[in-house]
Structure formats: structure tokens, C-alpha cells
Amino acid sequence: MSNMLDYLTWRGDLSLSQDPFNTIDALILSSLSYVDFEAVVPSLGQGKVTIEEASKKFFEIHSEEELALDKSFIRFGPSLLRALAESDRFKDAYLLNYVNDTDISREIQFAAVEIDTSDGESFISFRGTDDTIIGWKEDFNLSFMTVPAEDEAVLYLKSVMEGRTNRIRIGGHSKGGHLAVYSATASDSELRSRIDKIYNFDGPGFNHEAMESEQFKNVQPRIIKVIPESSIVGRLLENSTEPMVVKSTELGIMQHDPLSWQLEGKSFATCDFPDKISNLFDETMTTWLGEMTFEDRKVFVDELFSVFEASGCETLSMLTKVGVKGTKAMINRMREIRNDSGAKVKTLMKMFFVNFNVLRESVVKERLEDSPLKIGLPANVGKKNGKQ
């Protein structure tokens, strides 16, 4: 099987007129917004550059040695940019309207870029979260608050498309997929009518009230959602769109990495259902969130991520290699949680670590078995809707 970089090598010589835009193309363009285009792509209304020109300029600014220091799962971004620049399919596409607004004091992390493809439609790509623990916490925060990036996405889409009449596609990976759906839902009816497809690649869903709105029901038939077998982020909150489930070369939570998603030709290699742990996570979180007030949800999310942060790790990639010292610190932090969130935190930690086979060293596993994580899981794990 292959991944999206292999796809560009195999299929990149075909223009969009020879082989029309497909969901793999959408994943590629959704992932492109992970690239740091500062000083490379013009900002709102300031011009445009081809992908080929952008790639040349990017690698003039950033050395290979600098890029090699990035250990996050989005480190594939520059390689993706280079592959696009070398493909006949996308090298002449224009990049424009780049925005990157990250401000810790305002608790905002928002970036987006427009890709003007050669088939008459623009693609708006919203950046998702990286694999920092803080980034993942932002995804969980959607369960109890409107994050600033949602409002930014609505304003961005309006600003970019104002005064234009062309049809568009919008998409994103992780939080970017959520922002794509949110911005479409919150747009005025005229702009919504010009949206062709909305791609949500393993991004969080929405609360029940939002999905009952007429605006959401209007865009829902145009949403394409794709998740990996062991999806976690993509199953947060409620989802009215039946997702396409794809195979991944990674395990557990690291399947969130879109470069690990497997392809067969110009289609995804699919599974019938998400795996048992993904289903258990979905069932558990749906039940819990339905029982909690927004304030309860905030306390729960803060407590959960305080355990991750206790490990000393900054990213999920680091967390998958956490040693004895970090594991002990997490266990101690869990013992300190005395409120109603304590049992829920322990349950989720069991899912993350034991059942995703993230911790492999026997000494670490022994510590887990002797810790508050030694709890049973429901007997009906993975039997959601009667599916195994």
C-alpha cells in the first residue's frame, strides 16, 4: 500500500482535467496548511505565488538541518510541499491569503491558506493542531467552549470569498476539519450555496444543539468525514456524518498522523468499522459529556491533561516513549485528583496507554498494573450499534 506522498509520485503527472479532483487530493491540500508559510505566501489580499515558487522560497529560508529538528507528526509538511512542487498536477496552483495567528495570551492558534487549483475551484485549507499536548487539549476544549479559532475561521472564509462568485471546497485535518465544517455552517446562505464539498479529516464533531440547526442541516450532505481505525480526536462530540474508516501504519493515538493513512491507487484503503477501542472511547465520552455541565467538562479536561503534562512530555510523540520517571509522575498526579473527574481520568488513561500498546517496556507496564490504572473495562467494548 501507499501514502499521500506515494500518490503524488504515482499520480502527479496527471492534471485535474485529465483526472478530476478526489478525496486524496483534498487530504493533501488540507495537510498543506501545516507548512509554515511565513514570508513565503502573501497574506490576505497581497498577491499570490505558485506552489513551485513557494517551495523554492521555503527551502531558501529553511535549511534541511533546521527541518530535521522537527520531531512532531506534522514534520512531513515540507516534504509534501516539495512533492506538490514537483508534480504537474499541482505545481502551477496558486497559494494566497495566508494567515497565521498564534497568540498564547489570547489562547488562539489559527492558520489557513487558499489554494487556487486549475479546475476553476479554490480550496480553503484550515490548519489543525500539531501533536503537542496543548494542541490536543484544544480539541477537547471544544466540548465546553467556543474556541477563538472558530470565530477566526468564519471571518477568514468571509474575507477571502467576499466579492467573488466561484465555487469552493474547504477542508482541514484535526481541528482544521472541525473549522472547515464550522465556517461553512456559520456563513451566510449565499456563500454556503457555493461550497461544493467540506472535508473533515479526523476532526472533532459538534454538540447536539449545533447539529440541530438549519444551517448545519444545510451543509451536512456536503460533508465528507474520514477517520483512521483507532480515531480519538475524530470521534469527539457528536457526528451526524457516517465516516469513511481508513487503515493506518501506526498504532493507537498515533494513527491521527495523516501520512500514516493507507491508499490503494487513488482511493483510501478502508475498514468496515472503527476498532474496539475507538468505539469504546466514543461510547464513553458520549455518555460522560451527556451527564456533565460545561463547567464539569472544563474541570475534567483540565484534570486529564494535567496528568499528561506531569509526564514532562510536550508532544504525543514524546509520550509514546515515556519512561519510568514520567510514568510515575503521571500516576502520582492521578492519585492527587480527588474530585468527581478522578475515575474518568483513570479510565481514559487506561484506554490511551494499556489498550493502545503505547508503553512497551515491561517495567513501565508493571508500574501501570500496580497503579490506579488497574481498572476493568466494560464487557461490551466495541459493540456499538451491534458492530464488532
Side-chain angles (χ1 to χ4, degrees), residues 47-66:
K48 58 187 178 181
V49 295
T50 65
I51 286 182
E52 188 173 34
E53 293 167 340
S55 178
K56 181 180 179 182
K57 191 169 184 179
F58 178 88
F59 287 102
E60 286 174 353
I61 296 173
H62 303 283
S63 69
E64 296 290 348
E65 292 75 18
E66 173 195 344

Side-chain angles (χ1 to χ4, degrees), residues 5-24:
L5 291 178
D6 299 318
Y7 167 87
L8 285 172
T9 300
W10 170 68
R11 208 73 181 171
D13 61 332
L14 297 178
S15 68
L16 293 177
S17 61
Q18 293 172 305
D19 187 35
F21 193 91
N22 60 55
T23 307
I24 308 302

Side-chain angles (χ1 to χ4, degrees), residues 317-330:
S317 302
M318 294 171 63
L319 201 58
T320 62
K321 302 178 180 66
V322 68
V324 173
K325 182 178 180 181
T327 302
K328 183 178 180 180
M330 286 190 288

Side-chain angles (χ1 to χ4, degrees), residues 21 26-27 29-30 112-115 121-126 153-154 156-158 160-161 167-173 176-187 191-192 194-201 219 222-224:
F21 193 91
L27 174 63
L29 298 188
S30 293
V113 66
E114 178 182 355
I115 303 104
E121 293 197 29
S122 289
F123 190 98
I124 306 297
S125 177
F126 291 106
V154 176
Y156 177 85
L157 189 58
K158 179 180 179 181
V160 167
M161 301 310 298
R167 294 189 64 77
I168 58 172
R169 307 176 181 104
I170 56 179
H173 170 262
H178 173 92
L179 295 180
V181 178
Y182 186 92
S183 64
T185 302
S187 295
L191 177 52
R192 282 203 308 272
R194 292 191 284 118
I195 298 173
D196 187 11
K197 289 285 190 296
I198 307 160
Y199 297 92
N200 182 355
F201 294 104
V219 302
R222 287 170 277 174
I223 299 172
I224 295 175

Side-chain angles (χ1 to χ4, degrees), residues 112-339:
V113 66
E114 178 182 355
I115 303 104
D116 184 1
T117 55
S118 59
D119 64 347
E121 293 197 29
S122 289
F123 190 98
I124 306 297
S125 177
F126 291 106
R127 182 185 295 172
T129 51
D130 53 22
D131 71 339
T132 59
I133 291 173
I134 293 298
W136 273 59
K137 185 177 180 181
E138 188 175 18
D139 287 324
F140 277 74
N141 283 345
L142 291 168
S143 69
F144 63 85
M145 64 183 289
T146 298
V147 299
E150 291 176 318
D151 294 330
E152 291 282 334
V154 176
L155 290 172
Y156 177 85
L157 189 58
K158 179 180 179 181
S159 299
V160 167
M161 301 310 298
E162 196 164 27
R164 294 162 58 174
T165 59
N166 60 300
R167 294 189 64 77
I168 58 172
R169 307 176 181 104
I170 56 179
H173 170 262
S174 190
K175 183 186 72 176
H178 173 92
L179 295 180
V181 178
Y182 186 92
S183 64
T185 302
S187 295
D188 62 60
S189 58
E190 191 279 328
L191 177 52
R192 282 203 308 272
S193 69
R194 292 191 284 118
I195 298 173
D196 187 11
K197 289 285 190 296
I198 307 160
Y199 297 92
N200 182 355
F201 294 104
D202 206 29
F206 293 84
N207 60 47
H208 181 75
E209 291 75 18
M211 293 197 304
E212 286 299 306
S213 70
E214 288 303 315
Q215 295 94 323
F216 187 91
K217 291 177 180 178
N218 179 273
V219 302
Q220 194 274 331
R222 287 170 277 174
I223 299 172
I224 295 175
K225 181 151 188 176
V226 181
I227 64 173
E229 286 180 273
S230 292
S231 175
I232 293 296
V233 173
R235 305 199 77 183
L236 280 169
L237 302 177
E238 295 186 36
N239 290 277
S240 62
T241 303
E242 189 69 25
M244 180 189 303
V245 184
V246 301
K247 296 179 181 179
S248 167
T249 55
E250 289 286 354
L251 296 173
I253 54 179
M254 297 312 295
Q255 289 191 8
H256 191 55
D257 179 355
L259 190 61
S260 75
W261 296 2
Q262 294 297 280
L263 315 179
E264 292 177 337
K266 59 178 182 178
S267 302
F268 285 108
T270 61
C271 313
D272 291 333
F273 319 114
D275 67 19
K276 292 180 178 181
I277 301 303
S278 180
N279 279 341
L280 176 62
F281 175 84
D282 182 33
E283 294 165 3
T284 303
M285 289 299 294
T286 298
T287 300
W288 286 350
L289 293 178
E291 297 170 346
M292 291 189 228
T293 65
F294 281 179
E295 181 57 35
D296 291 337
R297 294 179 187 186
K298 181 182 186 306
V299 171
F300 165 65
V301 171
D302 286 344
E303 296 286 20
L304 173 64
F305 280 87
S306 73
V307 176
F308 286 130
E309 290 160 3
S311 69
C313 298
E314 296 179 355
T315 67
L316 287 175
S317 302
M318 294 171 63
L319 201 58
T320 62
K321 302 178 180 66
V322 68
V324 173
K325 182 178 180 181
T327 302
K328 183 178 180 180
M330 286 190 288
I331 291 170
N332 288 339
R333 175 68 193 104
M334 278 188 288
R335 288 189 175 126
E336 294 171 356
I337 302 174
R338 301 297 183 186
N339 55 39

